[in-house]
Amino acid sequence: MSCIFCKIINKEIPARILYEDERVLAFYDINPQAPYHILVIPKKHISTLLELEEADKELIGHIYLTINQISKDLGFAERGYRVVVNCKEEAGQTVFHMHFHVLAGRPMDWPPG
Ligand code: 5GP
Ligand code: ZN
């Protein structure tokens, strides 16, 4: 498996891991775009949001609850945060293992570039 995020899940390459359970992994982005930039990924390899299946519905809810918990633990829940999922090349996806960017700690522009 050549997927870089699967390698992080399997501890074949290092990452600054924040949270892990049987279904998800959360770690700091290597190239942060905000004071807090965390990636939350399913342990199941799903290449893009378009590959989601009915059976993944609960997993997605679990990812969002994990994001909420991280925002409270790291102290940016009160100020707020942004969640971004880039789906395919035109949206800016570069790693084809679906991931949820969690950005916080500065005011965010809208619309995104
Ligand atoms: P995308 O552009 O696919 O939405 O986001 C991919 C993200 O993964 C980027 O923000 C990039 O900085 C991050 N990333 C790529 N390779 C690694 C890595 O090896 N470790 C970590 N922690 N983040 C990575
Ligand atoms: Zn993967």
Side-chain angles (χ1 to χ4, degrees), residues 7-74:
K7 285 182 178 161
I8 288 175
I9 290 163
N10 294 327
K11 312 282 161 48
E12 291 166 29
I13 62 170
R16 291 172 60 208
I17 293 172
L18 266 166
Y19 175 78
E20 176 170 21
D21 63 26
E22 68 284 353
R23 286 179 288 173
V24 302
L25 185 72
F27 54 99
Y28 286 100
D29 196 292
I30 204 168
N31 182 25
Q33 302 301 314
Y36 295 97
H37 187 171
I38 295 145
L39 300 173
V40 182
I41 66 174
K43 288 194 167 175
K44 174 184 175 186
H45 180 90
I46 299 170
S47 57
T48 82
L49 198 56
L50 280 163
E51 269 65 53
L52 270 187
E53 299 169 351
E54 280 291 312
D56 301 320
K57 278 165 138 177
E58 221 240 319
L59 173 64
I60 298 306
H62 182 58
I63 286 172
Y64 274 102
L65 289 173
T66 298
I67 290 169
N68 271 349
Q69 189 59 51
I70 288 170
S71 76
K72 291 172 192 164
D73 292 346
L74 295 186

Side-chain angles (χ1 to χ4, degrees), residues 2-5 29-31 33 37 39 45-49 84-99 101:
S2 62
C3 171
I4 193 161
F5 286 176
D29 196 292
I30 204 168
N31 182 25
Q33 302 301 314
H37 187 171
L39 300 173
H45 180 90
I46 299 170
S47 57
T48 82
L49 198 56
V84 175
V85 182
N86 296 323
C87 181
K88 299 178 72 177
E89 288 88 347
E90 189 161 282
Q93 186 173 7
T94 58
V95 176
F96 284 80
H97 180 128
M98 184 184 69
H99 47 282
H101 294 263

